[in-house]
Amino acid sequence: MILGSCTSLQFGAALAAQLFPALGSWGVTCLRLGIAAIVLLVLVRPAVRGWNGGQWRAVLAFGLALGAMNGSFYAAIERIPLGTAVAIEFLGPLVLSAILSRRAADLACVVLALAGIGMFGLESLAGAGALDPVGVLFALIAAVFWGFYVLASSHVGRQVPGQGGLAVALAIGALALLPLGAGGALTAVTRPGLLLLAVATALLASVIPYTLELAALRRLPRHVFGILLSLEPAIATIAGLVLLAQVPTVYGLLAVVLVVAASAGTTITARRAQSRGADDADRAARPAPSDGELETLPVDEYPAALSVQAIAEPEAVTGQFPVLDPQEHEADDVGGPDRP
């Protein structure tokens, strides 16, 4: 399920890149967030009238971070290869994890990831290829907002039960991007073929992967889940090769390997820190997490890899660890409201 999710997510991002010439990256981002918001709002029907000021502020910050993260990432993959952009973007959650944990092992993982990103610089110096500096800048901006997204999603998970906060945040993110993406979005509305591709992108990059991930979380320990998601840059490189004819260089492949190793390393060290002093045999015999254990992770325990969904839409993190309403949970065999 996790490998299927990662593959769907990255191929969805690659499909979105094919819409850029007609709609522009901001138009495609606005469409994707808007379609996802409509689907979630219809399915979840959040009780916004009962929200207080603190809840609204949390959701507003979440939506703005989500929109900026998605928009800048799509602007990046419009200019640089998909695998490269994903690798650079991973710096956001990796650095945040190191700052919050203060573990030497996490700092070492950040250094390893930086070494990987440095491979792109060596590639340019060796004359093997040069990256568009604007594209790199957008990827770095996306990394920064990914870090903000992690903090904001954790806060919303504590403040707003269920997926209501996520649904409204998606709508806020889409509205925030309208000044930049309205032209492209309107073009798609008047051209059914493009609109159909946009819907397919939303399905591949949102509906399918998040459904698979939520199901997988009920069967896998969270650290295993995080390690598998660390494969995202590698799968993004494959998607770029297959759909966009972006052939990676030796330097690019080495960069991806180092970033994947760094992301998996932060997840492994986080798991070891949590399990230190516990009985290994007891943990090995423990069954997969139940629905009630799928809670929002504390920010200081947030494995970097778990924020990966975003390649195009990391907003799923809140949905992966929903704060379940007891009454709602009793009425729903799968735990919480249905998700797209």
Side-chain angles (χ1 to χ4, degrees):
M1 289 179 176
I2 293 300
L3 293 178
S5 169
C6 292
T7 301
S8 179
L9 194 64
Q10 294 312 320
F11 275 77
L15 182 61
Q18 298 184 40
L19 289 170
F20 292 164
L23 307 182
S25 63
W26 298 101
V28 175
T29 309
C30 193
L31 269 177
R32 279 206 55 243
L33 293 180
I35 292 171
I38 291 171
V39 173
L40 262 182
L41 288 171
V42 170
L43 292 177
V44 176
R45 297 188 296 276
V48 296
R49 292 183 179 179
W51 289 1
N52 58 37
Q55 290 173 312
W56 273 110
R57 286 190 293 271
V59 172
L60 177 62
F62 184 28
L64 294 176
L66 190 156
M69 152 69 212
N70 279 274
S72 54
F73 179 77
Y74 270 28
I77 64 175
E78 187 178 25
R79 296 168 174 83
I80 62 177
L82 178 60
T84 301
V86 173
I88 295 174
E89 192 188 28
F90 254 71
L91 289 176
L94 283 170
V95 171
L96 179 64
S97 175
I99 292 174
L100 294 177
S101 73
R102 296 185 178 89
R103 289 190 296 264
D106 284 337
L107 292 175
C109 288
V110 171
V111 172
L112 183 63
L114 289 173
I117 301 304
M119 292 295 105
F120 296 121
L122 290 177
E123 179 181 48
S124 180
L125 292 175
L131 296 175
D132 184 329
V134 176
V136 173
L137 178 61
F138 272 121
L140 290 172
I141 293 173
V144 172
F145 279 107
W146 198 344
F148 283 125
Y149 166 81
V150 170
L151 297 173
S153 65
S154 177
H155 186 49
V156 169
R158 293 190 298 268
Q159 293 286 324
V160 184
Q163 276 72 50
L166 171 60
V168 176
L170 281 167
I172 291 172
L175 290 174
L177 294 181
L178 269 181
L180 296 172
L186 287 175
T187 299
V189 171
T190 58
R191 297 172 63 180
L194 293 178
L195 184 60
L196 184 61
L197 280 178
V199 173
T201 300
L203 290 174
L204 284 172
S206 301
V207 177
I208 294 174
Y210 303 154
T211 300
L212 290 174
E213 285 168 5
L214 186 59
L217 266 170
R218 298 191 176 100
R219 295 166 172 82
L220 289 175
R222 288 192 303 211
H223 70 288
V224 176
F225 180 85
I227 292 170
L228 288 173
L229 284 183
S230 296
L231 295 172
E232 202 80 42
I235 296 175
T237 300
I238 296 172
L241 173 64
V242 173
L243 291 183
L244 304 175
Q246 297 173 343
V247 181
T249 64
V250 174
Y251 292 99
L253 289 175
L254 182 57
V256 168
V257 168
L258 291 176
V259 171
V260 167
S263 180
T266 60
T267 304
I268 293 170
T269 56
R271 170 65 175 179
R272 288 177 178 173
Q274 293 169 15
S275 62
R276 187 174 295 121
D279 181 74
D280 291 338
D282 178 68
R283 286 183 177 271
R286 183 179 300 171
S290 64
D291 290 346
E293 293 175 317
L294 299 180
E295 300 169 348
T296 301
L297 283 176
V299 175
D300 58 354
E301 296 178 7
Y302 194 98
L306 293 186
S307 60
V308 120
Q309 347 308 58
I311 295 278
E313 200 174 341
E315 63 269 17
V317 174
T318 299
Q320 290 172 356
F321 302 101
V323 177
L324 300 177
D325 179 78
Q327 296 179 351
E328 186 178 63
H329 179 57
E330 291 175 0
D332 191 339
D333 290 337
V334 299
D338 294 337
R339 306 182 69 249

